[in-house]
């Protein structure tokens, strides 16, 4: 058994516009890192967190990384283990890019590596979902499943959990911009109406079917015209500065599609190549700057690997 | 230009359980036949209808076949033409198998054949949808699109109309049973609630995505577990005698899935082979017989061709 491991787990774009709560994909950057060491003192401790500006709890029962590692150890009957965790946040918290998911998944991948991969990546999903419940108040899988499996992922069903990897065009890029405004996931969810018109739901599942078809056939035009969300985006976009202005800019510059990443405030455009991605993020950041909003940007192809061992 | 043509157009299974208003597929039988002749007298007339027990109108403005042929002639600027139509119903009316759609599509395919295929099959879809509006009060495309194109079809969007052919396992069969009870499409639609819970809609589009994925990957198990409808079936099944009993029988006999065809009362099971399909229809008909309900049955692979010229 290894005595330590350093793991990277990727950020993720959940919902993917029309696929609210059922679709997500992983990106190569940003992401979080976890360093995990076996110690002689039974119990799981978080000895260090960097990059969180003091926002994340060090209490092992309240931090999603340690809490899900504790769940894992309980599951395999090894609560006697001593585990020390360092969490290095390399991505913004509350960004809509699956920040808690990246940390949780890095921790679970690390502990599973220390235990010689006793569980498969798919088997880790429920543990990561419990971590999401702790972090966001809602145990969703559309960030943790792609973070664990890599690629584009469909969560067909939650009860029972049914996670399915989808194909995607390999040369497709995600151009992500995170406007530095605060949109906690909990609040973003509470804004959404609990009931919707059936006719609007029909449009949405027509688009979900179109997006899945476009991913299989690598039909960018179909992917683009399917990525429409008439149910959630009209509400959530209110919290995102210049959302529709940014959409216009991105689409005029050749984006396949544009939408909110997860519950926002990050937005993303899908593009057919990396250069268009960079041009779009620059233009969007310029737009945000013009209204005095700072932002971060990332341009990445779809991450195929999920978490990786760094050391 | 031909002076006459005889055309067959197929029955169709719309909705396909989870894909309410967006999915449908064509079958090889049953279907309707239209004989169309060019005459010297301008105008479209219906000279004969058989197999309808007097239920369909002979008035050219009220019969969907003649009305959509009139629309076609108007579109191509040939209202000067004289067209005589014989409609031979070879399938039950009000069965949930796209009866009006089969007739309308046969007529449109016939007139388009007489005019050397001036329009493509996809271009005929809007004309057939107008026919559906006349017949059912609602211009849906999930019967007419598969009847025109053959195969499994997604109607991603109605405005603008976006019709996409999907792949399917070629060895898959549909075992269809029509219980001879009356469920007019208009009434079946009016029973459905106009608002649904977002959480139920999410389940539905997870399943639609799963079904499309299963069709692409020819994964029968995924197709089966995706064909669940928590929104429309619970209401519509009330009108179908012994619906849940029939589901149990079909699933126990090895069906991939079981559900309502269109708005019912026909039901269908998907099977992995023809023999299982026949065994299931026999068992379901026996069940219906035991509660004094007569029925018809059809076993067919997915129709790949759409309408065909018979003569």
């Amino acid at each position: 058994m290894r005595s330590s491991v350093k793991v990277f787990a990727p950020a993720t774009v959940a919902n993917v516009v029309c696929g609210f709560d059922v679709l997500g994909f992983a990106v190569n950057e940003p992401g979080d890192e976890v360093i995990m060491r076996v110690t002689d003192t039974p119990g799981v401790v978080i000895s260090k967190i960097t990059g969180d500006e003091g926002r994340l709890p060090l209490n092992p029962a309240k931090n999603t990384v340690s809490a899900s590692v504790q769940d894992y150890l309980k599951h395999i009957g090894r609560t006697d283990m001593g585990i020390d965790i360092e969490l290095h946040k390399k991505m913004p918290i509350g960004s809509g890019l699956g920040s808690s998911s990246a940390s949780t998944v890095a921790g679970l991948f690390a502990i599973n590596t220390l235990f010689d991969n006793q569980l498969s990546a798919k088997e880790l999903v429920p543990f990561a979902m419990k971590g999401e419940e702790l972090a966001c108040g809602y145990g969703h899988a559309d960030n943790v499943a792609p973070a664990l499996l890599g690629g584009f992922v469909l969560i067909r069903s939650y009860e029972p959990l049914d996670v399915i990897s989808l194909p995607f065009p390999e040369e497709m890029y995600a151009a992500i911009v995170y406007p530095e405004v605060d949109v906690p996931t909990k609040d973003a969810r509470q804004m959404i109406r609990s009931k919707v018109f059936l006719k609007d739901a029909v449009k949405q599942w027509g688009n979900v079917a179109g997006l899945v078809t476009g991913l299989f056939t690598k039909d960018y035009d179909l992917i683009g015209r399917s990525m429409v969300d008439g149910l959630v985006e009209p509400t959530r976009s209110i919290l995102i500065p210049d959302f529709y202005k940014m959409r216009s800019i991105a689409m005029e510059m050749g984006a396949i599609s544009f939408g909110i990443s997860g519950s926002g405030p990050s937005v993303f455009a899908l593009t057919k190549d990396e250069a268009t991605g960079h041009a779009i993020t620059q233009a969007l950041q310029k737009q945000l700057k013009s209204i005095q909003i700072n932002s971060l940007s990332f341009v990445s192809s779809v991450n195929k690997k999920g978490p990786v061992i760094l050391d």
Side-chain angles (χ1 to χ4, degrees), chain A residues 219-231:
Chain A
D219 180 338
Y220 285 125
D221 194 57
L222 177 56
I223 290 171
R225 62 186 197 267
S226 300
M227 284 174 67
V228 177
D229 170 12
L231 294 179

Side-chain angles (χ1 to χ4, degrees), chain A residues 47-257:
Chain A
S47 59
K48 192 194 257 186
I49 304 178
T50 64
D52 72 326
E53 294 165 352
R55 291 170 66 181
L56 298 180
L58 282 159
N59 179 339
K62 292 193 175 163
N63 186 296
T64 69
V65 185
S66 40
S68 54
V69 168
Q70 284 173 332
D71 282 342
Y72 178 97
L73 291 172
K74 202 171 164 186
H75 178 79
I76 64 164
R78 290 303 304 271
T79 47
D80 60 307
M81 289 293 294
I83 297 291
D84 175 276
I85 297 169
E86 282 182 26
L87 170 60
H88 299 286
K89 293 294 302 175
K90 306 265 180 173
M91 60 180 290
I93 295 170
S95 56
L97 293 170
S99 173
S100 59
S101 156
S103 302
T104 308
V105 164
L108 283 167
F109 192 82
I111 192 74
N112 198 42
T113 302
L114 294 182
F115 281 96
D116 296 325
N117 301 308
Q118 286 199 24
L119 300 187
S120 69
K122 275 199 184 179
E123 287 169 335
L124 292 176
V125 176
F127 293 90
M129 285 171 69
K130 275 189 74 175
E132 289 291 76
E133 198 169 350
L134 190 62
C136 322
Y138 176 66
H140 61 114
D142 48 352
N143 288 114
V144 294
L148 274 163
L149 304 174
F152 231 101
V153 174
L154 162 68
I155 297 98
R156 184 196 65 81
S157 156
Y158 278 83
E159 289 174 27
L161 185 65
D162 191 6
V163 170
I164 298 153
S165 289
L166 300 176
F168 53 88
E170 297 209 354
E171 59 286 6
M172 190 168 75
Y173 275 76
I176 298 169
V177 171
Y178 163 54
E180 294 185 347
V181 295
D182 207 28
V183 179
T185 305
K186 268 187 196 171
D187 296 356
R189 282 202 87 81
Q190 280 161 3
M191 285 179 67
I192 301 169
R193 288 191 185 85
S194 65
K195 278 198 157 188
V196 297
F197 283 108
L198 177 61
K199 67 180 172 52
D200 294 332
V202 168
K203 281 185 198 169
Q204 199 92 351
W205 62 65
N207 282 321
V208 171
L211 174 52
V212 172
T213 301
L215 290 171
F216 270 96
T217 57
K218 305 194 191 310
D219 180 338
Y220 285 125
D221 194 57
L222 177 56
I223 290 171
R225 62 186 197 267
S226 300
M227 284 174 67
V228 177
D229 170 12
L231 294 179
V232 176
E233 184 182 280
T235 306
R236 285 194 168 163
S237 59
I238 296 166
L239 300 175
I240 299 169
D242 273 0
F243 177 78
Y244 292 101
K245 179 86 188 163
M246 288 197 283
R247 163 169 287 161
S248 299
I249 293 169
M251 297 310 289
E252 274 166 29
M253 292 178 75
I256 301 164
S257 59

Side-chain angles (χ1 to χ4, degrees), chain A residues 177-181 241-243 245-246 249 280-297:
Chain A
V177 171
Y178 163 54
E180 294 185 347
V181 295
D242 273 0
F243 177 78
K245 179 86 188 163
M246 288 197 283
I249 293 169
I280 287 173
T281 56
Q282 274 173 30
L284 298 186
Q285 290 195 277
K286 195 178 157 196
Q287 176 61 31
L288 289 168
K289 195 81 196 164
S290 77
I291 55 167
Q292 283 78 50
I293 290 182
N294 290 326
S295 59
L296 296 174
S297 73

